[in-house]
């Protein structure tokens, strides 16, 4: 299979053509064969918030919606500011480790926070 038919995002060989676009069923990436694979370079690696901003260790984030704490009746309210986050590699998607006042240490998913 040529490089033109591989997904430029995840390098999957299962890409298929639908009219003018190529589509990857594994990651959902779509690209134009006319524009070339070089124009669609993958986004830089790293943990990103809900708005696409890159997060780093020590950043402050704001929780965007109410989140139930698993195994407890506590709730992290939307608008809660969390300071000094630590990024971690997690297979379950909880890639932010932090301490929240009144609740304690917990892990958050980056898709539910925005950079402060």
């Amino acid at each position: 299979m040529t490089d033109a038919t591989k997904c430029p995002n995840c390098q999957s060989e299962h890409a298929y053509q639908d009219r003018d676009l190529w589509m990857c069923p594994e990651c959902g990436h779509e690209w134009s064969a006319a524009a070339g694979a070089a124009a669609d370079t993958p986004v830089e690696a790293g943990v990103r918030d809900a708005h696409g901003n890159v997060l780093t260790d020590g950043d402050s984030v704001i929780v965007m919606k109410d989140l139930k704490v698993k195994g407890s009746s506590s709730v992290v309210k939307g608008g809660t500011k969390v300071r000094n986050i630590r990024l971690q590699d997690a297979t379950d998607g909880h890639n932010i480790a932090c301490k929240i006042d009144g609740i304690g240490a917990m892990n958050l998913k980056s898709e539910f926070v925005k950079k402060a």
Side-chain angles (χ1 to χ4, degrees):
M1 183 171 279
T2 64
D3 287 340
T5 57
K6 285 186 179 179
C7 176
N9 198 24
C10 69
Q11 300 302 318
S12 171
E13 295 181 356
H14 301 290
Y16 61 92
Q17 188 172 10
D18 185 22
R19 295 187 183 154
D20 295 338
L21 293 177
W22 283 89
M23 298 185 183
C24 177
E26 292 184 18
C27 69
H29 182 68
E30 299 177 358
W31 70 99
S32 172
D40 291 330
T41 57
V43 179
E44 66 185 45
V47 177
R48 296 180 173 272
D49 69 355
H51 298 292
N53 299 321
V54 177
L55 297 174
T56 57
D57 285 338
D59 279 347
S60 294
V61 294
I62 298 173
V63 178
M64 293 179 53
K65 68 176 205 169
D66 291 354
L67 301 173
K68 295 180 183 178
V69 178
K70 193 180 280 188
S72 174
S73 61
S74 301
V75 174
V76 178
K77 295 287 187 180
T80 302
K81 188 171 186 177
V82 181
R83 294 178 182 86
N84 198 18
I85 63 169
R86 294 176 312 280
L87 302 179
Q88 60 186 9
D89 293 327
T91 57
D92 63 349
H94 293 86
N95 48 8
I96 297 175
C98 61
K99 288 184 181 176
I100 299 177
D101 294 336
I103 296 176
M106 67 181 308
N107 295 331
L108 298 172
K109 291 184 178 182
S110 59
E111 62 196 49
F112 298 120
V113 299
K114 65 180 177 178
K115 195 169 186 176

